[in-house]
Structure formats: structure tokens, C-alpha cells
RNA sequence: GCCGUUGUAGCUCAGACUGGUGGAGCGGCUGACUGUUAAUCAGCAGGCCUCAGGUUCAAAUCCUGACAACGGCGCCA
């Protein structure tokens, strides 16, 4: 019977015989005593192996075993101030299951080296903490939608057309045809709502942008929703509720992990206490103007400007009604909106602190004439969108949807400098290994 | 795509300006040590100085050109 290390480290087991198994975290020793610390998924504990207390062969093994050797240990749990964490196991049995070669990851590590050795680096306490938060985030997304009457609906990943105008697609040879890896489920989701009403999914998304930034991946996970009968004001509220729910779940389940990441938890707590504001693009520009940042109406907000807007807020903010000219073809014009030019029924949600876009969504245009006009403007052939147009012919309804960048959300929640740490094996334009 | 930075031991980096027998710390190996916290001490091994040209008696170092990685911008979640 083996017990998780975190569970063993308590008064409950003090003085009792325990068995744990895991990997050597650090080790040091002298001729007659060895102090390996051993980790598993739950924690780290120091072991003392004294010559004479274990069979001689096992003591030799303890002396020789390098970092990351796998071990099974039996011994007595003792509270001891000299041990990191306050508890240690005084071993009576120390079995090395697999001796490790010299571990490539040591105290001096470059970002590049850690990415080269990602398959080993994910064992680090830091990556383990992030992956545990990710586990909560993903679970919370499924729970949120399922408990609010959404069906999970899975789209094809191989898709014949592009959707977001301008974005770059990964081409895939599909027998003797050409197809692309999905960069959104949206066209298929818009078909799905006529069957299921409210739907969601979480799936890999691919963007072949050569973006070398701390907030871009070429392969990332997007959690999307689409709902029939829903218009812009309502869909933005769904997005706010979803993000709040995810944060509450993380705060409920991952306090220790956030502490290990040295995340200021109060920045997340405040997001549960206050409502997330909604402003328009035009109002955003006015906020920037007050700070002396002049942006011409009609230009898209750049990273710098998004950061500028978010200086005014300590919770996520929904920004609506961007100029239609710079928006994708399917985002409809809002005829009623007061703005210097045509604006779309669309929104982004920006995260506080870092200012990154964590959500993007919109109402969907139901006019075949409008869709055709803007597709042609983007240089697209509307004939390639026949099924999408069909949806407007057979009982069309107002509908909306959005996508959450799962890694971006994790990046903000964990306070990560780089989005690459929000996923175990990041894919970027310059790295496909390991 | 544009701009910038960096390529030297298994890892992290000095050395380059001013050309002249390639260095340190960490880690590994050998040995000492019965309470270590990044243990300590002594010794040993370890190199196509990213690659290709050029200048020079002589190039890690100077010049030219590739390649790669990293970062910023744009684009986006």
C-alpha cells in the first residue's frame, strides 16, 4: 500500500510506518547517511537512509541514485525540524526501481533548454502546478456549459475553407485534395444550433501565424459556444458568467498551486466580487485619449492600446462594437449603434493586468446579401460557403457565439509571462519538438 | 513579414574591443565525511569555440555570407 506524499506529511502518520513511491527530487549524502528528497504528483518529502537501517545493497543504491531515479520507500514518518517541510521518512527499505542518467535539467537553465527538454521539464513543480490549474479550467468549462443547458457538439478538425479572413491556415494533403486544419468551429457550430439550440465544445485550433510573442501559439485549445435565439447583449453576459465560474473553481481547488506560482490571488478574488464592465470600442478610444494615446477611429486596437484600456480596470472588460471595416465577414452591422461609422455586433473580452484578449465573439450575420458582399470584399468566393448560406434559407434565427482562448485564460489566471507554459507541449512557428 | 539580441565543455556563462598554448561555476566520475538543506573538502575526465568563405606568419577573437534559437512589432484567442 503506497500513500501519496502530500497525505503522508501530517501528524496523522507521525511515528507510523509508511510506504511511498516517486522520483528523487534532490539528493545529498555522506558515507554513512543519504538524504534524498522524493516527489510524486502531490508533493515532496525528505527521506533519511542510514547505513545499517536498510540492507547494504539498498544503501549503495541510495548513494548512487541520481536525480529523477524512481524509488519505492518504506519507513517511519517522523516530524523533524531539520527536514524541509517538517516531516521525513526514516527508511527501512529503499528500492531503486529505475536508476536515472545524469539529469539534463539543473539549476542553471535557459528557456531554450527547458523547451528542448520539455518532456522532462513538465515534471517540475512549477509545470505541475500550472497543469493542475489547467485541469480545473478545462473541467470548469465543461461543467459551466452542461449545467446551463448546452450540448457538447464536436466539429470536424479538417475543414475545406477558411473562416476568419486573413488568418493563415495549415494546409493538409487530404488524399488528392487540399484541406486545412480548423481555426474555428464556427461555421459548423452555426449549423449545429438548428439541431441542438445551445452548444459548446473545446477543441484544438490551428493558426499558421508566424507570431513570435508571449501570447501566441500555433496550436491551442479554444472553448467555443454558439446559441440560437441569442443576441449580442446576452452572449456577452454568458461569457462573463463563464469566466467568473472558471475563476471561482480555480480559487476553490488550486490555492496551493497558485501560491507555488507566486500568483497574487487577490487579483482573481476581486473578479468574483465585482461585475465585469462592458464598454464600446468608441468609449475605449476616449479612455485612451485621456491618457494621451490618440487612435484614429476605425483602426483596430493593438496590444499597446489594449493594455492602455486595461489600466483603467481591475476585472476583465468586454469591449463591443468594433468598426465593421476591420471585422470578419460574418459579424453583422449594428444599425442602431451610435458611432462615427458602421460598427459590428461583436465583442472581445480583455484580461486585466496583461491586457490580452481572452475571448472573441459576435452575433452572426443572417443576411445572405451582406455575407456575400463582405466575402467578396475579402477576396473570397461565396460559392465555397454554400452550406453556410443554406443555414440562412431554412428557418434562420438570430444567433451568437464566442470562443475562449484556453491557454490565454490560463496564462492570465496563473500570471504567466509566456503562454507557452500554459500547455504541456507548446507548438510555435519555430518548434515542433519534443 | 519587419526590427533587435545571442550562438564557446552535458548546463549557465566569461574570453572578442586590443588576433599569439581555450577558462570558471554547476553537473558527472573517484575518494573522505553519521543530519544534509543549492552540503562541504580533495582529485579526474570532458571542446569541430554554429557552419562556410576571406584577411593574416597566426583567427573563438577581425571581415563577408548562411543557418539556428530567443525577444519585440504586426495579425489574432
Amino acid at each position: 500500500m503506497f500513500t501519496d506524499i502530500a497525505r503522508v506529511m501530517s501528524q496523522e502518520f507521525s511515528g507510523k510506518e509508511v510506504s511511498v513511491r516517486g522520483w528523487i527530487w534532490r539528493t545529498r549524502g555522506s558515507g554513512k547517511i543519504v538524504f534524498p528528497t522524493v516527489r510524486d504528483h502531490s508533493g515532496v518529502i525528505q527521506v533519511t537512509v542510514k547505513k545499517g537501517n536498510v540492507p547494504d545493497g539498498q544503501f549503495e543504491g541510495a548513494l548512487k541514485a541520481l536525480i529523477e531515479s524512481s524509488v519505492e520507500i518504506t519507513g517511519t514518518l517522523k516530524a523533524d525540524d531539520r527536514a524541509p517541510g517538517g516531516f521525513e521518512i526514516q527508511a527501512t527499505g529503499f528500492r531503486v526501481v529505475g536508476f536515472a542518467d545524469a539529469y539534463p535539467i539543473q539549476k542553471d537553465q535557459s528557456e531554450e533548454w527547458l523547451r528542448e527538454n520539455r518532456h522532462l521539464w513538465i515534471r517540475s513543480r512549477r509545470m505541475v502546478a500550472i497543469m493542475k490549474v489547467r485541469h480545473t479550467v478545462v473541467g470548469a468549462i465543461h461543467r459551466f456549459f452542461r449545467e446551463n443547458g448546452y450540448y457538447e457538439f464536436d466539429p470536424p478538425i479538417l475543414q475545406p475553407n477558411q473562416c476568419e479572413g486573413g488568418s493563415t491556415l495549415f494546409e493538409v494533403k487530404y488524399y488528392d485534395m487540399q484541406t486545412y486544419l480548423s481555426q474555428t468551429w464556427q461555421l459548423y457550430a452555426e449549423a449545429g444550433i438548428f439541431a441542438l439550440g445551445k452548444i459548446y465544445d473545446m477543441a484544438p485550433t490551428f493558426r499558421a501565424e508566424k507570431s513570435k510573442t508571449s501570447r501566441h501559439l500555433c496550436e491551442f485549445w479554444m472553448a467555443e459556444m454558439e446559441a440560437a435565439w441569442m443576441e449580442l447583449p446576452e452572449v456577452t453576459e454568458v461569457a462573463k458568467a463563464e469566466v467568473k465560474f472558471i475563476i471561482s473553481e480555480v480559487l476553490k481547488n488550486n490555492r496551493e498551486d497558485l501560491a507555488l506560482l507566486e500568483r497574487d490571488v487577490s487579483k482573481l478574488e476581486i473578479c468574483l466580487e465585482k461585475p465585469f464592465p462592458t464598454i464600446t470600442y468608441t468609449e475605449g478610444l476616449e479612455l485612451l485619449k485621456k491618457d494621451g494615446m490618440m487612435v484614429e477611429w476605425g483602426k483596430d486596437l493593438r496590444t499597446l492600446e489594449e493594455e492602455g484600456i486595461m489600466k483603467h480596470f481591475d476585472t476583465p472588460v468586454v469591449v463591443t462594437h468594433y468598426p465593421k471595416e476591420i471585422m470578419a465577414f460574418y459579424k453583422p452591422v449594428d444599425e442602431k449603434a451610435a458611432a462615427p461609422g458602421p460598427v459590428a455586433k461583436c465583442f472581445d473580452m480583455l484580461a486585466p493586468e496583461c491586457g490580452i484578449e481572452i475571448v472573441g465573439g459576435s452575433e452572426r450575420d443572417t443576411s445572405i446579401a451582406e455575407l456575400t458582399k463582405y466575402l467578396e470584399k475579402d477576396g473570397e468566393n461565396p460559392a465555397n460557403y454554400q452550406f453556410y448560406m443554406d443555414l440562412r434559407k431554412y428557418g434562420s434565427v438570430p444567433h451568437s457565439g464566442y470562443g475562449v482562448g484556453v491557454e490565454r485564460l490560463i496564462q492570465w489566471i496563473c500570471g504567466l509571462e509566456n503562454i507557452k507554459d500554459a500547455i504541456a507541449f507548446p507548438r510555435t512557428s519555430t518548434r515542433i519538438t519534443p
Side-chain angles (χ1 to χ4, degrees):
Chain A
M1 255 289 281
F2 294 92
T3 311
D4 281 352
I5 286 170
R7 189 161 142 61
V8 159
M9 295 180 77
S10 70
Q11 285 301 336
E12 180 194 346
F13 285 91
S14 190
K16 295 186 179 152
E17 178 169 278
V18 294
S19 292
V20 301
R21 55 185 167 190
W23 292 265
I24 293 180
W25 171 246
R26 301 281 183 266
T27 182
R28 49 203 161 252
S30 53
K32 303 286 166 49
I33 184 166
V34 187
F35 300 98
T37 50
V38 176
R39 66 159 186 90
D40 66 6
H41 68 95
S42 69
V44 181
I45 191 167
Q46 172 165 289
V47 179
T48 56
V49 189
K50 289 185 183 176
K51 191 166 187 169
N53 288 0
V54 297
D56 282 354
Q58 293 193 353
F59 184 79
E60 291 301 310
L63 264 178
K64 272 194 213 157
L66 300 179
I67 286 172
E68 288 303 319
S69 297
S70 47
V71 292
E72 289 180 351
I73 293 146
T74 299
T76 308
L77 187 83
K78 287 272 157 74
D80 192 318
D81 291 341
R82 291 171 296 184
F87 292 94
E88 66 180 21
I89 296 171
Q90 299 186 341
T92 52
F94 190 96
R95 189 167 91 83
V96 179
V97 177
F99 282 96
D101 285 359
Y103 202 54
I105 298 176
Q106 305 159 10
K107 68 168 189 176
D108 293 317
Q109 313 140 332
S110 62
E111 293 288 313
E112 186 185 345
W113 184 248
L114 295 179
R115 281 176 207 155
E116 193 75 40
N117 290 280
R118 192 71 174 193
H119 53 300
L120 302 176
W121 179 238
I122 56 171
R123 303 179 184 192
S124 67
R125 300 192 78 189
R126 177 180 165 79
M127 283 303 300
V128 165
I130 296 168
M131 290 187 294
K132 285 178 181 174
V133 172
R134 185 184 173 105
H135 167 79
T136 300
V137 168
V138 168
I141 289 169
H142 282 289
R143 264 191 67 195
F144 174 81
F145 285 114
R146 285 166 180 254
E147 289 175 6
N148 284 286
Y150 289 74
Y151 291 98
E152 184 166 352
F153 176 79
D154 297 320
I157 297 300
L158 293 168
Q159 300 181 3
N161 285 315
Q162 82 169 50
C163 174
E164 308 273 351
S167 289
T168 337
L169 294 140
F170 285 106
E171 293 180 8
V172 177
K173 191 166 169 260
Y174 189 72
Y175 303 104
D176 56 348
M177 290 167 279
Q178 182 170 290
T179 187
Y180 306 94
L181 292 177
S182 169
Q183 60 179 3
T184 173
W185 79 328
Q186 189 188 319
L187 301 189
Y188 297 90
E190 288 191 53
I193 55 164
F194 292 91
L196 295 168
K198 299 199 291 185
I199 56 177
Y200 83 99
D201 93 317
M202 190 160 9
T205 297
F206 304 89
R207 304 267 167 99
E209 299 155 352
K210 291 199 172 172
S211 305
K212 296 182 195 174
T213 78
S214 57
R215 57 194 178 282
H216 284 87
L217 294 166
C218 288
E219 175 186 300
F220 63 97
W221 287 71
M222 192 147 68
E224 298 181 87
M225 64 75 74
E226 194 78 27
W229 314 105
M230 194 177 283
E231 298 184 23
L232 182 68
E234 189 182 350
V235 78
T236 61
E237 294 308 314
V238 174
K240 290 177 188 178
E242 181 190 355
V243 171
K244 274 179 183 270
F245 180 72
I246 293 166
I247 292 168
S248 71
E249 288 290 290
V250 170
L251 287 173
K252 205 180 292 172
N253 295 301
N254 300 91
R255 292 267 176 181
E256 282 180 27
D257 302 307
L258 294 171
L260 193 141
L261 296 168
E262 297 179 324
R263 178 67 169 126
D264 181 354
V265 182
S266 68
K267 299 258 164 79
L268 300 175
E269 287 166 335
I270 204 165
C271 296
L272 296 185
E273 293 156 13
K274 298 167 74 170
F276 298 174
T278 297
I279 64 171
T280 64
Y281 162 89
T282 308
E283 288 163 347
L285 292 196
E286 281 162 17
L287 278 177
L288 291 172
K289 204 170 175 182
K290 279 187 203 160
D291 299 336
M293 290 175 76
M294 304 299 287
V295 179
E296 189 186 335
W297 196 95
K299 298 261 187 198
D300 204 356
L301 297 177
R302 297 175 304 166
T303 309
L304 192 67
E305 283 114 38
E306 288 172 342
E307 283 169 3
I309 289 175
M310 292 315 291
K311 277 183 195 146
H312 296 265
F313 302 95
D314 54 8
T315 69
V317 172
V318 166
V319 182
T320 65
H321 294 94
Y322 286 72
K324 170 62 191 174
E325 281 294 307
I326 52 172
M327 289 290 112
F329 71 93
Y330 56 78
K331 298 181 180 177
V333 171
D334 191 341
E335 305 290 355
K336 293 179 193 156
V343 290
K345 293 177 180 173
C346 65
F347 76 101
D348 279 351
M349 189 189 291
L350 308 180
E353 302 170 79
C354 48
I356 53 175
E357 295 168 26
I358 51 177
V359 182
S362 76
E363 207 171 304
R364 318 305 194 187
D365 208 324
T366 53
S367 157
I368 291 175
E370 289 284 300
L371 289 169
T372 304
K373 177 173 128 194
Y374 286 105
L375 274 171
E376 283 172 348
K377 212 168 173 180
D378 289 344
E380 290 284 317
N381 183 359
N384 292 338
Y385 292 79
Q386 200 189 337
F387 96 73
Y388 192 68
M389 300 299 181
D390 262 6
L391 305 174
R392 276 72 187 161
K393 291 184 194 165
Y394 302 99
S396 184
V397 292
H399 60 287
S400 300
Y402 64 82
V404 175
V406 174
E407 286 77 14
R408 288 218 176 149
L409 189 60
I410 293 166
Q411 182 182 7
W412 167 59
I413 288 173
C414 292
L416 307 178
E417 289 209 351
N418 201 308
I419 198 170
K420 297 179 188 78
D421 286 340
I423 188 168
F425 292 100
R427 292 290 175 252
T428 64
S429 61
T430 53
R431 181 178 288 287
I432 189 87
T433 56

